[in-house]
């Protein structure tokens, strides 16, 4: 039996595993080229840990606008439905490979909500 997501260390393990998948996927890799530099990747992973720690445990440690970088990215490198589906699939499989339990389920549910909102915001840019 796997344990549930309990703390920042677990979140770090999750986002690192997830980003390994993204950066090795033919469909998604091109969005993450800047993170081929280890120091930039580590900085980004720490930002993601702050974000997910806030989402899952209400830590208050994330104070940035999560949407803005994705909207900016979309303008340079369009993000489509297939990218959202792949992102969500890889996130969910990353959670399932490492964890199980209520917080893990909540992480997947929140990721679904985030993907939907982001997809709506991006579609509004295209109007």
């Amino acid at each position: 039996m796997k344990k549930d997501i309990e703390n920042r260390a677990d979140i770090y393990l999750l986002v690192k595993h997830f980003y390994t998948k993204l950066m090795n996927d033919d469909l998604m890799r091109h969005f993450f080229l800047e993170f081929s530099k280890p120091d930039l990747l580590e900085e980004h992973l720490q930002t993601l840990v702050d974000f997910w720690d806030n989402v899952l445990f209400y830590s208050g440690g994330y104070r940035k606008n999560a949407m803005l970088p994705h909207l900016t990215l979309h303008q340079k490198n369009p993000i489509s439905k297939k990218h959202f589906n792949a992102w969500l699939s890889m996130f969910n499989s990353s959670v399932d490979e490492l964890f199980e339990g209520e917080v893990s389920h909540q992480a997947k549910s929140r990721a679904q909500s985030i993907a939907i909102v982001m997809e709506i915001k991006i579609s509004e840019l295209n109007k």
Side-chain angles (χ1 to χ4, degrees):
M1 182 161 170
K2 299 172 198 154
K3 71 179 210 125
D4 205 351
I5 300 169
E6 298 174 351
N7 53 40
R8 290 179 63 84
D10 291 341
I11 296 169
Y12 181 82
L13 181 64
L14 172 60
V15 297
K16 187 166 181 145
H17 185 71
F18 175 48
Y19 263 62
T20 297
K21 287 181 179 228
L22 291 169
M23 294 170 72
N24 287 298
D25 183 79
D26 290 340
L27 178 65
M28 301 299 287
R29 176 183 307 121
H30 69 283
F31 292 115
F32 302 95
L33 293 176
E34 70 180 283
F35 300 125
S36 61
K37 297 176 185 171
D39 55 332
L40 290 178
L41 175 59
E42 185 59 32
E43 181 181 333
H44 187 63
L45 292 177
Q46 292 301 324
T47 298
L48 292 172
V49 170
D50 289 343
F51 174 80
W52 282 104
D53 192 36
N54 194 50
V55 167
L56 297 174
F57 302 115
Y58 308 100
S59 66
Y62 185 82
R63 291 187 163 77
K64 298 179 181 181
N65 179 345
M67 192 66 64
L68 185 60
H70 297 91
L71 296 176
T72 302
L73 175 63
H74 172 71
Q75 291 174 332
K76 297 176 191 171
N77 207 343
I79 305 170
S80 70
K81 179 76 172 170
K82 67 182 177 183
H83 298 117
F84 283 107
N85 290 341
W87 180 89
L88 194 56
S89 176
M90 284 183 243
F91 184 85
N92 288 341
S93 67
S94 295
V95 172
D96 290 341
E97 289 163 12
L98 299 171
F99 302 101
E100 64 184 8
E102 182 58 35
V103 178
S104 300
H105 176 73
Q106 186 180 24
K108 293 188 293 183
S109 177
R110 296 278 174 91
Q112 173 78 42
S113 298
I114 290 164
I116 290 168
V117 169
M118 199 171 291
E119 194 171 358
I120 290 168
K121 294 283 187 187
I122 284 175
S123 72
E124 290 172 354
L125 285 177
N126 296 332
K127 292 181 180 179

